[in-house]
Amino acid sequence: MTGVPIKVLVIDDEPPIRKLLRMGLGTQGYDILEASNGKIALELLAHQPALIILDLGLPDIQGHELLRIIRARNAHVPVVVLSSRGDEAGKVQALDLGADDYLTKPFGMEELLARMRAALRHQLQVQGERPVFHAGSLAVDLVRRIVKVGDKDVKLSPKEYELLRVLVQHAGKVLTHRFLLKELWDELTDAQYLRVYVRQLRQKIEPDPERPQFLLTETGIGYRLRAPD
């Protein structure tokens, strides 16, 4: 990593985890701020971290409530949740509250770094940095509404395009079924409609729809579009 170090706020009450992250992220050039509880974390928000790593099991403030407070103060800072809780309901709740991604302990440092890079790229997209999305052979021009895989134009139905547009605008981030249903229909629509359109979209953009490279399933939670290159 070159240039100005990216400031990362690590919120975790376990000293060994904070040490692991301090050493692992520090070697990659990240500037680490550490908070052992929610109170300290809220004070450190004044340092304007570029990304937050949040453990849900904190001693003073319930993790989901802290995430809600963080989002109220800063709607755009990427948040990657770390937790020993593997239940789908907890993951969905964190993502619906605005987390960009979710990793369950124990986790691999390389995977965490990849998720962090994806979350930071997603933030740039939200800020309008990429009118044309590229991931491998997939290209989506959000201005001209043109979709290509390699040199081949892909013709999508209006609803297929709207699904792809939402995924592109949040590329690299897990989008829950509830979020997508609310964006594309009215949230009361049966999730089967979403699965049908995901399957149709994969048939058109994936080299092998049975082994998707771009539109990935987060089992029981939702979908993630591969982060841009």
Side-chain angles (χ1 to χ4, degrees):
M1 185 179 297
T2 60
V4 179
I6 295 175
K7 193 176 298 181
V8 176
L9 172 57
V10 173
I11 309 171
D12 198 301
D13 66 331
E14 298 182 63
I17 295 294
R18 294 202 306 276
K19 181 179 179 180
L20 171 67
L21 293 172
R22 180 171 63 251
M23 295 176 63
L25 300 180
T27 60
Q28 299 297 314
Y30 290 99
D31 181 14
I32 308 303
L33 301 170
E34 297 182 38
S36 58
N37 58 49
K39 181 176 182 296
I40 296 173
L42 292 176
E43 293 172 353
L44 290 177
L45 286 179
H47 292 265
Q48 297 183 326
L51 183 140
I52 295 173
I53 297 175
L54 171 64
D55 174 35
L56 294 180
L58 299 173
D60 56 343
I61 302 177
Q62 200 269 345
H64 289 101
E65 178 60 26
L66 181 59
L67 177 55
R68 186 180 288 107
I69 296 171
I70 289 171
R71 273 288 165 258
R73 296 188 181 185
N74 189 324
H76 302 298
V77 61
V79 178
V80 176
V81 167
L82 291 181
S83 179
S84 55
R85 305 175 188 177
D87 64 294
E88 290 179 359
K91 294 180 181 180
V92 170
Q93 185 181 3
L95 293 164
D96 279 340
L97 286 171
D100 291 77
D101 213 332
Y102 192 116
L103 283 178
T104 303
K105 298 177 181 178
F107 58 90
M109 184 58 66
E110 289 302 317
E111 182 178 10
L112 173 61
L113 288 166
R115 300 289 184 95
M116 289 169 60
R117 290 192 295 268
L120 289 166
R121 286 197 294 269
H122 169 246
Q123 182 194 35
L124 292 178
Q125 276 191 285
V126 170
Q127 294 172 344
E129 294 284 331
R130 286 176 177 259
V132 180
F133 171 88
H134 290 279
S137 59
L138 176 64
V140 182
D141 187 326
L142 294 175
V143 177
R144 296 188 295 163
R145 298 170 67 94
I146 294 174
V147 180
K148 287 179 175 287
V149 175
D151 295 328
K152 179 182 176 183
D153 288 330
V154 178
K155 296 188 181 301
L156 301 178
S157 72
K159 188 61 74 175
E160 290 167 352
Y161 178 80
E162 285 304 303
L163 171 59
L164 182 58
R165 177 187 61 78
V166 173
L167 290 163
V168 165
Q169 290 177 334
H170 299 277
K173 179 176 179 176
V174 180
L175 302 183
T176 64
H177 298 117
R178 179 181 176 185
F179 176 87
L180 288 167
L181 288 170
K182 187 175 180 180
E183 288 289 304
L184 297 168
W185 288 281
D186 58 9
E187 197 174 353
L188 299 177
T189 303
D190 192 312
Q192 181 61 26
Y193 284 97
L194 177 60
R195 287 190 283 272
V196 168
Y197 279 101
V198 166
R199 183 166 61 249
Q200 292 176 180
L201 187 55
R202 281 178 171 155
Q203 291 290 334
K204 295 182 178 182
I205 68 171
E206 296 284 357
D208 183 352
E210 298 302 317
R211 297 177 178 79
Q213 301 176 15
F214 304 121
L215 180 44
L216 309 176
T217 298
E218 298 287 338
T219 304
I221 298 172
Y223 300 97
R224 176 208 306 269
L225 188 69
R226 174 177 153 184
D229 297 330

